[in-house]
């Protein structure tokens, strides 16, 4: 009887194991939900009527870069552009019109898509880069000519004439980036400052002069004595890496060849008022960088791609995170337009 009882238990266990095994095999044949292709949103600084001032390059990590969608959306002198995957919204600045276009269902934008709203601020004298806090629905705009950040609360609901809150800085901002994981706003100070400022919990900042939580300087321009001007900025919390562009001379001698990229690792270790030496730099004649006005980064484990809006040479350039020195891009998109700002959605 004992042997029969033991045999019955073993048979039952074997059946359970076999059933479990069958279930696993069944699950393994279920196709995984495909991820959306990476999309690079490009805002072009054209002022001519009918210009395609908003482009989508998808998939952005393709070996051949080409626009999948182009919008002649009337955003004259297109500047900052930012996509929110949390709310599926896209914001784009028209510097000439002192306005911001807002697109809903932005992951499915078509050539004929119209903005759901247009925010107009008559005091927005020179809107540059954008950053968006989806949790608090706050849009930040760098306005360089009066050294302010403009803040628009409940941005997704705004339409028509508004006046944004003004945060006064001690220098002219250009590139800005919202680090949602650490709830902080990162701001580049343009011209000879070579300074980056972080503002923790920016949603709590009151109008008027603001003081950064952390500020530091990039040690030494790579542009051989010409004007040093920081422009584009992006950050990866996953890799704790800050990427910054310098355009050198905006016009004149060598303006189409003197730009580059600073790659700064271990950002969490940077102390206040310090001078930071970049971990790696990408500068030189082989890079094709003259006026790299904006930057984006695909920080996925199997990617590590750096995208640059190269305005002087009318290109989108792609580099590897491991690149260093006078290296050529891995690929380029040659445009007939002047890319001013970019934003990457890579999930």
């Amino acid at each position: 009887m004992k042997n029969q009882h033991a045999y019955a238990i073993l048979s039952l266990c074997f059946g359970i194991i076999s059933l479990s095994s069958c279930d696993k095999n069944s699950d393994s044949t279920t196709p995984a939900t495909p991820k959306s292709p990476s999309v690079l949103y490009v805002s072009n600084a054209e002022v001519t009527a009918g210009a395609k001032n908003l482009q989508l390059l998808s998939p952005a990590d393709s070996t051949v870069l080409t626009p999948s969608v182009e919008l002649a959306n009337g955003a004259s002198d297109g500047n900052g552009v930012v996509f929110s995957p949390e709310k599926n919204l896209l914001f784009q600045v028209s510097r000439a019109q002192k306005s911001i276009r807002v697109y809903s269902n932005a992951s499915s934008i078509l050539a004929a898509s119209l903005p759901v709203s247009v925010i107009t601020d008559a005091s927005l004298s020179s809107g540059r880069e954008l950053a968006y806090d989806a949790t608090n629905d706050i849009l930040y705009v760098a306005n360089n000519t009066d050294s302010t950040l403009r803040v628009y609360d409940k941005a997704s609901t705004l339409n028509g004439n508004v006046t944004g809150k003004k945060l006064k800085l001690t220098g002219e901002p250009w590139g800005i980036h919202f680090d949602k994981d650490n709830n902080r706003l990162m701001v580049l100070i343009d011209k000879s400052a070579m300074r980056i400022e972080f503002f923790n919990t920016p949603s709590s900042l009151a109008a008027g002069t603001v003081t950064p939580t952390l500020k530091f300087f990039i040690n030494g321009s790579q542009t051989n004595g010409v004007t040093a001007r920081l422009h584009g900025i992006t950050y990866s919390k996953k890799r704790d890496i800050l990427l910054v562009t310098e355009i050198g001379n905006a016009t004149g001698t060598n303006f189409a060849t003197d730009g580059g990229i600073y790659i700064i690792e271990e950002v969490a270790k940077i102390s206040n008022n310090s001078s930071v030496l970049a971990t790696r730099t990408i500068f030189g004649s082989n890079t094709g960088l003259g006026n790299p006005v904006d930057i984006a980064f695909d920080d996925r484990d199997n990617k590590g791609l750096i995208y640059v809006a190269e305005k002087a040479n009318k290109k989108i350039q792609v580099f590897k995170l491991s690149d260093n020195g006078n290296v050529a891009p891995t690929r380029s998109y040659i445009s007939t337009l002047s890319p001013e700002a970019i934003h990457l959605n890579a999930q």
Side-chain angles (χ1 to χ4, degrees):
M1 291 294 292
K2 287 183 179 179
N3 289 339
Q4 289 179 350
H5 182 63
Y7 178 77
I9 291 173
L10 286 172
S11 297
L12 178 62
C13 290
F14 179 76
I16 291 172
I17 292 170
S18 298
L19 180 61
S20 174
S21 179
C22 287
D23 284 345
K24 278 189 172 182
N25 289 337
S26 176
D27 288 344
S28 68
T29 61
T30 303
T33 302
K35 292 186 177 181
S36 300
S38 58
V39 180
L40 187 72
Y41 297 90
V42 181
S43 181
N44 294 308
E46 307 306 313
V47 296
T48 56
K52 297 169 182 175
N53 277 32
L54 180 62
Q55 294 175 302
L56 280 64
L57 277 62
S58 178
D61 54 358
S62 171
T63 54
V64 178
L65 280 175
T66 186
S68 54
V69 178
E70 298 181 297
L71 283 78
N73 65 350
S76 182
D77 195 3
N79 266 247
V81 63
V82 64
F83 171 76
S84 167
E86 300 89 349
K87 297 200 172 186
N88 203 5
L89 292 173
L90 181 78
F91 299 88
Q92 183 192 17
V93 168
S94 167
R95 182 167 170 261
Q97 297 164 351
K98 302 180 180 181
S99 65
I100 303 157
R101 282 161 171 74
V102 185
Y103 290 88
S104 61
N105 196 25
S107 60
S108 302
I109 285 181
L110 301 174
S113 295
L114 297 174
V116 66
S117 62
V118 178
I119 304 167
T120 301
D121 185 344
S123 70
L124 189 65
S125 55
S126 183
R128 295 297 185 180
E129 289 297 321
L130 296 178
Y132 181 61
D133 174 0
T135 300
N136 294 295
D137 195 15
I138 298 175
L139 183 68
Y140 299 91
V141 184
N143 196 69
N144 64 311
T145 53
D146 64 358
S147 298
T148 66
L149 297 175
R150 302 304 178 88
V151 184
Y152 301 94
D153 292 309
K154 299 180 180 179
S156 65
T157 68
L158 298 178
N159 193 20
N161 296 324
V162 301
T163 301
K165 178 172 67 177
K166 296 181 183 180
L167 304 179
K168 184 69 174 177
L169 306 175
T170 56
E172 297 184 19
W174 197 288
I176 58 177
H177 177 83
F178 180 67
D179 171 18
K180 66 179 181 179
D181 296 300
N182 292 305
N183 191 17
R184 59 185 176 180
L185 188 66
M186 302 174 167
V187 182
L188 289 183
I189 304 302
D190 188 18
K191 298 191 173 175
S192 60
M194 295 292 286
R195 186 169 77 247
I196 300 172
E197 299 182 349
F198 291 179
F199 296 86
N200 290 352
T201 321
S203 60
S204 65
L205 294 173
T209 300
V210 292
T211 301
T213 310
L214 170 73
K215 67 179 179 180
F216 60 94
F217 304 84
I218 295 182
N219 184 12
S221 168
Q222 302 295 309
T223 55
N224 300 319
V226 303
T227 303
R229 297 189 61 181
L230 303 182
H231 263 47
I233 182 172
T234 193
Y235 173 74
S236 166
K237 168 64 167 59
K238 176 180 177 180
R239 304 198 188 201
D240 194 27
I241 290 177
L242 189 70
L243 301 166
V244 175
T245 67
E246 180 182 318
I247 68 165
N249 286 322
T251 59
T253 304
N254 298 326
F255 86 100
T257 59
D258 61 7
I261 301 169
Y262 298 99
I263 302 171
I264 302 170
E265 298 181 353
E266 298 185 326
V267 177
K269 295 182 179 180
I270 296 176
S271 57
N272 195 32
N273 281 317
S274 62
S275 182
V276 175
L277 187 65
T279 310
R280 291 183 300 284
T281 61
I282 301 174
F283 278 83
S285 57
N286 292 332
T287 68
L289 297 174
N291 282 179
V293 285
D294 201 11
I295 192 165
F297 179 48
D298 187 341
D299 67 358
R300 292 176 294 176
D301 292 338
N302 60 338
K303 297 300 177 182
L305 298 174
I306 300 171
Y307 296 82
V308 180
E310 169 47 49
K311 187 176 180 180
N313 296 294
K314 296 186 176 182
K315 293 181 180 180
I316 300 297
Q317 306 276 60
V318 184
F319 296 89
K320 300 186 298 292
L321 179 62
S322 58
D323 283 344
N324 189 25
N326 185 14
V327 297
T330 61
R331 64 187 69 106
S332 300
Y333 162 61
I334 301 173
S335 180
T336 59
L337 307 170
S338 300
E340 183 74 46
I342 54 176
H343 184 93
L344 180 70
N345 178 37
Q347 302 300 311

